[in-house]
Amino acid sequence: MSSAVLSVGRALHLANAYEDKCQYVLRVGNLITAHQADPAMTFEEAVASVPADKLLGGTLHSLAAHAMGRTMDMDTLHKARRARNWIAHEGASIGAIWSVDRDRILQHTVKLRAAVTDLALGDNTISQWCHGLAEPHDLPPADWINGYPDAVDTWVFGHLRGLLPEQPSSLAGSE
C-alpha cells in the first residue's frame, strides 16, 4: 500500500515545516526583543544574542513566555506539537512487514489522519504569524486560512479518500 507511505511522507514534511516555522517565529521575536532592549546594538550583535534553537517543546515554552506568544493559542500549538511528535516517531510504525495487512494499514492511517488534523490546525496558526512577520502590512489571506485544514487533508490523504472514513467537510470549525 504505497499510498499510505506517501501519506506518511507528506505528513512528515508538514511536521518538519511546523517545527521550522515555530523556531522562525521565536527567533524573530528574540531579535525584536534584543533590539528593543538596546536599539544601538548592531544587527550582528542582535543575531549573536539570540539563543540557539531548541527542540519543538522548548521552542513553544519559550514562545509562550515571549510577549508575542501571549497572544497565541498555545493549546492548539501544543496539540500540534504532540501530533508532530507522533508523526515523526510513530507515523510509519505499522508493525512487522510479515504481519501487516490492508486493514492494519488503514487503521493506522486513520490515526495518522487525526494527528495530521491537529498538526494542520497548529500549522495554520503559526503560518499566520510567519505571514505577519514577512508581510507586516498585508492581511493574511482569509480564504487560504479558512481552507488550510481541508487543503492539508486533501494533499496528504486525497489519494486514500475512498478507503478512509469520511472527514467533516471543514476541519476549521474544530479550532
Side-chain angles (χ1 to χ4, degrees):
M1 190 125 185
S2 62
S3 294
V5 174
L6 177 62
S7 291
V8 170
R10 288 179 175 181
L12 186 56
H13 168 76
L14 292 170
N16 290 339
Y18 174 70
E19 184 167 11
D20 289 343
K21 289 174 196 176
C22 290
Q23 290 172 342
Y24 165 75
V25 170
L26 179 59
R27 221 176 293 125
V28 171
N30 285 335
L31 280 171
I32 292 168
T33 300
H35 174 71
Q36 289 172 339
D38 183 0
M41 184 183 294
T42 67
F43 178 72
E44 291 80 10
E45 291 169 332
V47 169
S49 75
V50 171
D53 287 341
K54 301 174 182 180
L55 296 176
L56 184 55
T59 296
L60 290 179
H61 287 294
S62 294
L63 202 58
H66 196 277
M68 287 188 329
R70 284 179 239 152
T71 64
M72 293 182 188
D73 180 357
M74 295 308 295
D75 289 338
T76 297
L77 295 179
H78 277 291
K79 196 171 183 182
R81 174 190 56 82
R82 289 188 296 276
R84 178 257 173 236
N85 288 344
W86 189 88
I87 291 165
H89 299 289
E90 299 178 50
S93 296
I94 55 173
I97 291 174
W98 61 85
S99 67
V100 174
D101 61 13
R102 180 180 184 270
D103 289 339
R104 189 170 186 170
I105 291 171
L106 288 175
Q107 288 172 354
H108 187 78
T109 304
V110 168
K111 292 178 188 175
L112 177 66
R113 196 176 197 191
V116 168
T117 297
D118 290 345
L119 177 64
L121 294 172
D123 190 51
N124 198 3
T125 299
I126 204 69
S127 293
Q128 291 174 55
W129 275 90
C130 290
H131 182 275
L133 292 170
E135 303 291 339
H137 304 292
D138 296 338
L139 291 175
D143 56 334
W144 183 244
I145 292 167
N146 294 335
Y148 186 72
D150 286 330
V152 167
D153 186 72
T154 298
W155 184 63
V156 176
F157 300 104
H159 53 283
L160 292 172
R161 282 215 168 133
L163 301 172
L164 295 172
E166 191 150 336
Q167 283 282 95
S169 62
S170 176
L171 303 171
S174 62
E175 291 183 81

Coordinates of all heavy atoms in Angstrom, one line a residue, residues 34-90:
A34 N 15.7 41.8 21.6 CA 17.1 42.3 21.7 C 17.3 43.7 21.2 O 17.9 44.6 21.8 CB 18.1 41.4 20.9
H35 N 16.6 44.0 20.1 CA 16.7 45.4 19.5 C 16.0 46.4 20.4 O 16.5 47.5 20.6 CB 16.1 45.4 18.1 CG 16.0 46.8 17.5 ND1 17.2 47.5 17.1 CD2 15.0 47.6 17.3 CE1 16.8 48.7 16.7 NE2 15.5 48.8 16.8
Q36 N 14.9 46.0 21.0 CA 14.1 46.9 21.9 C 14.9 47.2 23.2 O 14.9 48.3 23.7 CB 12.8 46.4 22.2 CG 11.8 46.4 21.0 CD 10.5 45.7 21.3 OE1 10.4 44.8 22.1 NE2 9.5 46.0 20.5
A37 N 15.7 46.2 23.6 CA 16.4 46.3 24.8 C 17.7 47.2 24.6 O 18.1 47.9 25.5 CB 16.9 44.9 25.3
D38 N 18.2 47.2 23.4 CA 19.4 48.0 23.1 C 19.3 48.4 21.6 O 19.9 47.8 20.8 CB 20.7 47.2 23.4 CG 21.9 48.0 23.1 OD1 21.8 49.2 22.8 OD2 23.0 47.5 23.3
P39 N 18.6 49.5 21.3 CA 18.5 50.0 20.0 C 19.8 50.3 19.2 O 19.8 50.3 18.0 CB 17.6 51.2 20.1 CG 16.9 51.1 21.4 CD 17.8 50.4 22.3
A40 N 20.8 50.5 20.0 CA 22.1 50.9 19.4 C 22.9 49.6 19.0 O 23.9 49.7 18.3 CB 23.0 51.7 20.4
M41 N 22.4 48.4 19.4 CA 23.0 47.2 19.0 C 23.0 47.0 17.5 O 22.1 47.2 16.8 CB 22.2 46.0 19.7 CG 22.8 44.6 19.6 SD 21.8 43.3 20.3 CE 21.9 43.7 22.0
T42 N 24.2 46.5 17.0 CA 24.2 46.2 15.6 C 23.4 44.9 15.3 O 23.1 44.1 16.2 CB 25.7 46.0 15.1 OG1 26.2 44.8 15.7 CG2 26.6 47.2 15.5
F43 N 23.1 44.8 14.0 CA 22.4 43.6 13.6 C 23.1 42.3 14.0 O 22.6 41.4 14.5 CB 22.1 43.6 12.1 CG 21.3 42.4 11.6 CD1 20.0 42.2 11.9 CD2 22.0 41.4 10.9 CE1 19.3 41.1 11.5 CE2 21.3 40.3 10.4 CZ 20.0 40.1 10.8
E44 N 24.4 42.3 13.8 CA 25.3 41.1 14.1 C 25.3 40.8 15.6 O 25.2 39.7 16.0 CB 26.7 41.4 13.6 CG 26.9 41.4 12.1 CD 26.5 42.7 11.4 OE1 26.3 43.7 12.2 OE2 26.4 42.7 10.2
E45 N 25.3 41.9 16.4 CA 25.2 41.7 17.8 C 23.9 41.2 18.3 O 23.8 40.3 19.1 CB 25.5 43.0 18.6 CG 26.9 43.5 18.4 CD 27.1 45.0 18.9 OE1 26.1 45.8 18.9 OE2 28.2 45.3 19.4
A46 N 22.8 41.7 17.6 CA 21.5 41.2 17.9 C 21.3 39.7 17.6 O 20.8 38.9 18.4 CB 20.4 42.0 17.2
V47 N 21.8 39.3 16.4 CA 21.8 37.9 16.0 C 22.6 37.0 16.9 O 22.1 36.0 17.3 CB 22.3 37.8 14.5 CG1 22.5 36.3 14.2 CG2 21.3 38.4 13.5
A48 N 23.7 37.5 17.3 CA 24.6 36.8 18.3 C 23.9 36.6 19.6 O 24.2 35.6 20.4 CB 26.0 37.4 18.4
S49 N 23.1 37.5 20.0 CA 22.4 37.5 21.3 C 21.2 36.5 21.4 O 20.7 36.2 22.4 CB 22.0 38.9 21.7 OG 20.8 39.3 21.0
V50 N 20.7 36.1 20.2 CA 19.6 35.2 20.2 C 20.0 33.8 20.6 O 21.0 33.3 20.1 CB 19.0 35.2 18.7 CG1 17.9 34.2 18.6 CG2 18.4 36.6 18.4
P51 N 19.2 33.3 21.5 CA 19.5 31.9 22.0 C 19.5 30.9 20.8 O 18.7 31.1 19.8 CB 18.4 31.6 23.0 CG 17.8 32.9 23.3 CD 18.0 33.8 22.2
A52 N 20.2 29.8 21.0 CA 20.2 28.8 19.9 C 18.8 28.1 19.9 O 18.1 28.1 20.8 CB 21.2 27.7 20.3
D53 N 18.5 27.6 18.7 CA 17.2 26.9 18.5 C 17.1 25.7 19.5 O 18.1 25.1 19.8 CB 17.1 26.4 17.1 CG 16.8 27.5 16.1 OD1 16.4 28.6 16.5 OD2 17.0 27.2 14.9
K54 N 15.9 25.5 19.9 CA 15.6 24.4 20.8 C 14.8 23.3 20.1 O 14.3 23.6 19.0 CB 14.8 24.9 22.0 CG 15.5 26.0 22.8 CD 14.6 26.5 23.9 CE 15.3 27.7 24.6 NZ 14.4 28.2 25.7
L55 N 14.5 22.2 20.7 CA 13.6 21.3 20.2 C 12.2 21.9 20.3 O 12.0 22.9 21.0 CB 13.6 20.0 21.0 CG 14.9 19.2 20.9 CD1 14.9 18.0 21.9 CD2 15.2 18.8 19.5
L56 N 11.2 21.3 19.6 CA 9.9 22.0 19.5 C 9.3 22.3 20.8 O 8.7 23.4 21.0 CB 9.0 21.1 18.6 CG 7.6 21.7 18.3 CD1 7.7 23.1 17.7 CD2 6.9 20.7 17.4
G57 N 9.3 21.4 21.8 CA 8.7 21.6 23.1 C 9.3 22.8 23.8 O 8.6 23.7 24.3
G58 N 10.6 22.9 23.8 CA 11.3 24.1 24.4 C 11.0 25.4 23.6 O 10.9 26.4 24.2
T59 N 10.9 25.3 22.3 CA 10.6 26.4 21.5 C 9.2 27.0 21.9 O 9.0 28.2 22.1 CB 10.6 26.1 20.0 OG1 11.9 25.7 19.6 CG2 10.2 27.2 19.1
L60 N 8.2 26.1 22.0 CA 6.9 26.5 22.3 C 6.8 27.1 23.7 O 6.1 28.0 24.0 CB 5.9 25.4 22.1 CG 5.6 25.0 20.7 CD1 4.6 23.8 20.6 CD2 5.1 26.1 19.8
H61 N 7.6 26.5 24.7 CA 7.6 27.1 26.0 C 8.2 28.4 26.0 O 7.7 29.4 26.7 CB 8.3 26.1 27.0 CG 7.5 24.9 27.3 ND1 6.3 24.9 28.0 CD2 7.7 23.6 27.0 CE1 5.9 23.7 28.1 NE2 6.7 22.9 27.5
S62 N 9.3 28.6 25.3 CA 9.9 30.0 25.2 C 8.9 30.9 24.5 O 8.8 32.1 24.9 CB 11.2 29.9 24.4 OG 12.1 29.2 25.2
L63 N 8.3 30.5 23.5 CA 7.3 31.3 22.7 C 6.2 31.7 23.6 O 5.7 32.9 23.6 CB 6.8 30.5 21.5 CG 6.2 31.3 20.4 CD1 7.2 32.3 19.8 CD2 5.7 30.4 19.3
A64 N 5.7 30.8 24.5 CA 4.6 31.1 25.4 C 5.0 32.2 26.4 O 4.2 33.0 26.8 CB 4.1 29.9 26.1
A65 N 6.3 32.2 26.8 CA 6.8 33.2 27.7 C 7.1 34.6 27.0 O 7.2 35.6 27.7 CB 8.0 32.7 28.4
H66 N 7.2 34.6 25.7 CA 7.5 35.8 25.0 C 6.3 36.6 24.8 O 5.1 36.1 24.8 CB 8.1 35.4 23.6 CG 8.8 36.5 22.9 ND1 8.1 37.4 22.2 CD2 10.1 36.8 22.8 CE1 9.0 38.3 21.7 NE2 10.2 37.9 22.1
A67 N 6.4 37.9 24.7 CA 5.3 38.8 24.5 C 4.4 38.4 23.3 O 3.2 38.5 23.4 CB 5.8 40.3 24.3
M68 N 5.0 38.0 22.2 CA 4.2 37.5 21.1 C 3.4 36.3 21.4 O 2.2 36.2 21.0 CB 5.1 37.2 19.9 CG 5.8 38.3 19.2 SD 6.6 37.9 17.7 CE 7.2 36.3 17.9
G69 N 4.0 35.4 22.2 CA 3.3 34.1 22.5 C 2.1 34.3 23.3 O 1.2 33.5 23.3
R70 N 2.0 35.4 24.1 CA 0.9 35.6 25.0 C -0.4 35.9 24.2 O -1.5 35.8 24.8 CB 1.2 36.7 26.0 CG 2.1 36.2 27.1 CD 2.5 37.2 28.1 NE 3.9 37.3 28.0 CZ 4.7 38.3 28.2 NH1 4.2 39.4 28.6 NH2 6.0 38.2 28.1
T71 N -0.3 36.2 22.9 CA -1.5 36.4 22.1 C -1.8 35.2 21.2 O -2.8 35.2 20.5 CB -1.3 37.6 21.2 OG1 -0.2 37.4 20.3 CG2 -1.0 38.9 22.0
M72 N -1.0 34.1 21.3 CA -1.2 32.9 20.5 C -2.0 31.9 21.2 O -2.1 31.9 22.5 CB 0.1 32.3 20.1 CG 1.0 33.1 19.2 SD 2.5 32.2 18.9 CE 3.4 33.5 18.0
D73 N -2.7 31.1 20.5 CA -3.4 29.9 21.0 C -2.4 28.8 21.3 O -2.2 27.9 20.5 CB -4.5 29.5 20.0 CG -5.3 28.3 20.5 OD1 -5.1 27.8 21.6 OD2 -6.3 27.9 19.8
M74 N -1.8 28.8 22.5 CA -0.8 27.9 22.8 C -1.3 26.5 22.9 O -0.6 25.5 22.7 CB 0.0 28.3 24.1 CG 0.7 29.6 23.9 SD 1.9 29.7 22.5 CE 3.0 28.4 22.9
D75 N -2.6 26.3 23.3 CA -3.2 25.0 23.4 C -3.1 24.3 22.0 O -2.8 23.1 21.9 CB -4.6 25.0 23.9 CG -4.6 25.3 25.4 OD1 -3.6 25.1 26.1 OD2 -5.7 25.8 25.9
T76 N -3.5 25.0 21.0 CA -3.5 24.5 19.6 C -2.1 24.2 19.2 O -1.8 23.1 18.6 CB -4.2 25.5 18.6 OG1 -5.6 25.6 19.0 CG2 -4.1 25.0 17.2
L77 N -1.2 25.1 19.5 CA 0.2 24.8 19.1 C 0.8 23.6 19.9 O 1.6 22.9 19.2 CB 1.1 26.1 19.4 CG 0.7 27.3 18.6 CD1 1.6 28.5 19.0 CD2 0.8 27.1 17.1
H78 N 0.5 23.4 21.1 CA 1.0 22.2 21.8 C 0.3 21.0 21.4 O 1.0 19.9 21.3 CB 0.8 22.4 23.4 CG 1.9 23.2 24.0 ND1 3.2 22.7 24.1 CD2 1.9 24.4 24.5 CE1 3.9 23.7 24.7 NE2 3.2 24.7 25.0
K79 N -0.9 21.0 21.0 CA -1.6 19.9 20.4 C -0.9 19.5 19.1 O -0.7 18.3 18.8 CB -3.1 20.2 20.2 CG -4.0 19.0 20.0 CD -5.4 19.4 20.1 CE -6.3 18.1 19.9 NZ -7.7 18.5 19.9
A80 N -0.6 20.5 18.3 CA 0.1 20.3 17.1 C 1.5 19.7 17.3 O 2.0 18.8 16.6 CB 0.2 21.6 16.3
R81 N 2.2 20.1 18.4 CA 3.5 19.6 18.8 C 3.4 18.1 19.1 O 4.2 17.3 18.6 CB 4.0 20.3 20.0 CG 5.3 19.7 20.5 CD 5.8 20.3 21.9 NE 4.8 20.2 22.9 CZ 4.5 19.1 23.6 NH1 5.2 18.0 23.5 NH2 3.6 19.1 24.6
R82 N 2.3 17.7 19.9 CA 2.1 16.3 20.2 C 1.9 15.5 18.9 O 2.4 14.4 18.7 CB 1.0 16.1 21.2 CG 1.4 16.6 22.6 CD 0.4 16.2 23.6 NE -0.9 16.9 23.4 CZ -1.2 18.1 23.8 NH1 -0.3 18.8 24.5 NH2 -2.4 18.6 23.6
A83 N 1.1 16.1 18.0 CA 0.8 15.4 16.7 C 2.1 15.3 15.9 O 2.3 14.3 15.3 CB -0.3 16.2 15.9
R84 N 2.9 16.4 15.9 CA 4.2 16.3 15.1 C 5.1 15.2 15.7 O 5.7 14.5 14.9 CB 4.8 17.7 15.3 CG 6.2 17.8 14.6 CD 7.3 17.7 15.7 NE 8.6 17.6 15.1 CZ 9.4 16.6 15.3 NH1 9.1 15.6 16.1 NH2 10.6 16.6 14.8
N85 N 5.1 15.1 17.0 CA 6.0 14.1 17.6 C 5.5 12.7 17.2 O 6.2 11.8 16.9 CB 6.1 14.3 19.1 CG 6.9 15.5 19.4 OD1 7.7 16.0 18.6 ND2 6.8 15.9 20.7
W86 N 4.1 12.5 17.3 CA 3.6 11.2 16.9 C 3.9 10.9 15.5 O 4.3 9.8 15.1 CB 2.1 11.2 17.2 CG 1.5 9.8 17.0 CD1 1.4 8.8 18.0 CD2 1.0 9.2 15.8 NE1 0.9 7.7 17.4 CE2 0.6 7.9 16.1 CE3 0.9 9.7 14.5 CZ2 0.1 7.0 15.1 CZ3 0.4 8.8 13.5 CH2 0.0 7.5 13.9
I87 N 3.7 11.8 14.6 CA 4.0 11.6 13.2 C 5.5 11.3 13.0 O 5.8 10.3 12.2 CB 3.6 12.9 12.3 CG1 2.1 13.0 12.3 CG2 4.2 12.8 10.9 CD1 1.6 14.4 11.8
A88 N 6.4 12.0 13.6 CA 7.8 11.8 13.5 C 8.3 10.5 14.0 O 9.2 9.9 13.5 CB 8.6 13.0 14.1
H89 N 7.7 10.0 15.1 CA 8.2 8.8 15.8 C 7.3 7.6 15.5 O 7.8 6.5 15.7 CB 8.3 9.1 17.3 CG 9.2 10.2 17.6 ND1 10.6 10.1 17.4 CD2 9.0 11.5 18.0 CE1 11.2 11.2 17.7 NE2 10.2 12.1 18.1
E90 N 6.0 7.8 15.2 CA 5.2 6.6 15.1 C 4.4 6.6 13.8 O 3.7 5.6 13.5 CB 4.2 6.5 16.2 CG 4.9 6.3 17.6 CD 3.9 6.3 18.7 OE1 2.9 5.6 18.6 OE2 4.1 7.1 19.7

